[in-house]
């Protein structure tokens, strides 16, 4: 049994966790750069918690500029075992309406400007992303959301776009009609990839704010309406997060899906051929298999 430590990456509108005991903001030094903000640590229902505002307090980081590697590395350095990503998204499905939450289980990555791996020449690693989220952690998020009275859709494909602009009508129709995408956002990639490389269980809770631009009765994205829905969603998301410690418990077994052992056979570079500088940067993320 290992100690549970829950990390929450808060998206637009979520810049702190309410009701934390012994809250403390602290800066974590990472060899991958400066995280989005200081990290808020504390306890909730006897479980250690770490909160990181993805865009920084005051929303200072654009989606393409979020320091994803530094964020995941910092959570790992603080001993986080389970990461819950909370983010805003648009919907491609009538039944997935603004105000609803989707527990994402698949991704399509359309980003192009972001470093998407901790590994590179000098220490090559390949991990499986066939199932990019942890079903145990996702189930806990779904249960917590339902208990909070939120309409939840369990399972959905999230398309990560570069942004910061929203989709054209043509793009929106392609994603919905040809690709079978359920929701669209700008921040879950490469976050999910990096969490898996860091051997962290990862769940994605997408909060729907709009119907993108495909819906004939809603027209193009209305930023004013998005912000209003976002504020409502944020209040519900905080309630959902507050229920997670009791559901997950203070201790945990090894992940039955292998998230915490994703690097077991992933490193291909021979020990004597590894770049010592890169290996040094990987001390938190991959130290278990590189030591």
């Amino acid at each position: 049994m290992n100690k549970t430590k829950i990390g929450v990456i808060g998206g637009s509108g979520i810049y702190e966790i309410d009701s934390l005991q012994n809250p403390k903001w602290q800066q974590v030094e990472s060899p991958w750069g400066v995280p989005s903000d200081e990290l808020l640590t504390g306890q909730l229902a006897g479980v250690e918690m770490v909160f990181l505002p993805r865009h920084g307090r005051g929303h200072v980081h654009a989606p393409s500029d979020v320091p994803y590697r530094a964020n995941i590395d910092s959570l790992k350095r603080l001993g986080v075992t389970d990461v819950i990503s909370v983010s805003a998204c648009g919907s491609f499905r009538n039944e997935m309406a603004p105000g609803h939450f989707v527990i994402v289980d698949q991704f399509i990555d359309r980003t192009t400007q972001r470093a998407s791996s901790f590994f590179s020449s000098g220490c090559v690693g390949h991990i499986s992303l066939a199932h990019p989220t942890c079903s145990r952690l996702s189930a806990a998020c779904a249960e917590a959301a339902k208990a909070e009275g939120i309409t939840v859709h369990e399972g959905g494909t999230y398309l990560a776009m570069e942004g910061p602009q929203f989709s054209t009508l043509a793009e929106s129709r392609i994603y919905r009609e040809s690709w079978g995408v359920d929701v669209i956002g700008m921040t879950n990639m490469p976050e999910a990839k990096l969490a898996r490389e860091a051997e962290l269980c990862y769940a994605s809770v997408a909060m729907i704010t709009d119907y993108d631009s495909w819906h004939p009765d809603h027209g193009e994205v209305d930023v004013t309406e998005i912000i209003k829905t976002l504020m409502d969603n944020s209040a519900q998301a905080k309630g959902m997060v507050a229920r997670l410690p009791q559901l997950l418990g203070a201790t945990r077994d090894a992940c039955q899906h292998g998230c915490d052992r994703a690097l077991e056979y992933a490193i291909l570079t021979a020990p004597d051929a590894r770049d010592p500088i890169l290996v040094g940067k990987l001390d938190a993320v991959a130290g278990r298999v590189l030591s």
Side-chain angles (χ1 to χ4, degrees):
M1 300 287 284
N2 295 311
K3 189 175 181 180
T4 300
K5 195 164 192 176
I6 302 171
V8 178
I9 302 177
S12 301
I14 303 177
Y15 305 110
E16 60 185 352
I17 296 179
D18 298 332
S19 304
L20 267 187
Q21 297 174 323
N22 304 311
K24 178 183 178 183
W25 288 97
Q26 65 180 92
Q27 184 65 56
V28 178
E29 293 188 6
S30 167
W32 301 96
V34 180
S36 292
D37 202 329
E38 294 180 325
L39 284 78
L40 179 63
T41 62
Q43 302 83 39
L44 202 57
V47 177
E48 295 290 325
M49 301 280 289
V50 180
F51 175 77
L52 175 62
R54 184 187 286 112
H55 297 281
R57 286 168 288 179
H59 206 105
V60 296
H61 297 291
S64 298
D65 301 323
V66 170
Y68 294 99
R69 291 190 295 185
N71 286 352
I72 294 298
D73 178 78
S74 297
L75 292 171
K76 183 78 173 183
R77 287 181 187 279
L78 288 182
V80 165
T81 57
D82 300 89
V83 176
I84 292 91
S85 162
V86 183
S87 60
C89 71
S91 169
F92 292 120
R93 305 292 162 212
N94 270 309
E95 66 273 19
M96 295 180 175
H100 294 186
F101 285 14
V102 179
I103 309 299
V104 175
D105 62 355
Q106 285 295 327
F107 295 101
I108 295 175
D109 190 357
R110 292 278 291 166
T111 64
T112 60
Q113 302 176 28
R114 313 171 188 188
S116 62
S117 178
F118 289 109
F119 299 99
S120 62
S121 297
C123 191
V124 178
H126 300 281
I127 51 99
S128 171
L129 273 180
H131 301 285
T133 62
C134 177
S135 56
R136 173 192 61 87
L137 193 56
S138 295
C141 290
E143 185 176 346
K146 290 174 184 176
E148 195 63 21
I150 301 166
T151 300
V152 185
H153 303 270
E154 296 185 62
T157 297
Y158 174 117
L159 185 138
M161 65 185 297
E162 192 64 64
Q165 304 87 355
F166 295 110
S167 305
T168 67
L169 177 57
E171 290 169 333
S172 191
R173 285 173 172 168
I174 288 172
Y175 300 152
R176 165 180 155 79
E177 297 167 12
S178 299
W179 291 14
V181 175
D182 297 301
V183 295
I184 185 168
M186 301 179 187
T187 56
N188 275 200
M189 283 291 173
E191 192 175 86
K193 293 178 178 178
L194 297 168
R196 180 59 53 83
E197 287 187 343
E199 298 191 320
L200 296 171
C201 292
Y202 180 89
S204 171
V205 181
M207 309 180 300
I208 298 173
T209 59
D210 59 90
Y211 278 117
D212 204 56
S213 58
W214 67 271
H215 203 295
D217 297 329
H218 291 268
E220 69 274 7
V221 175
D222 184 326
V223 176
T224 301
E225 284 300 313
I226 286 179
I227 298 302
K228 180 180 181 299
T229 306
L230 184 65
M231 293 302 102
D232 293 339
N233 286 351
S234 297
Q236 291 186 306
K238 289 179 180 180
M240 177 197 73
V241 167
R243 294 178 182 273
L244 287 171
Q246 289 186 323
L247 290 173
L248 294 174
T251 59
R252 65 196 292 280
D253 293 322
C255 176
Q256 64 191 45
H257 310 291
C259 300
D260 52 7
R261 300 179 299 284
L263 295 177
E264 198 70 35
Y265 303 105
I267 310 299
L268 299 186
T269 306
D272 59 355
R274 294 171 184 166
D275 177 359
I277 295 176
L278 179 53
V279 169
K281 292 175 69 174
L282 290 165
D283 62 333
V285 167
R288 186 185 71 83
V289 295
L290 290 175
S291 60

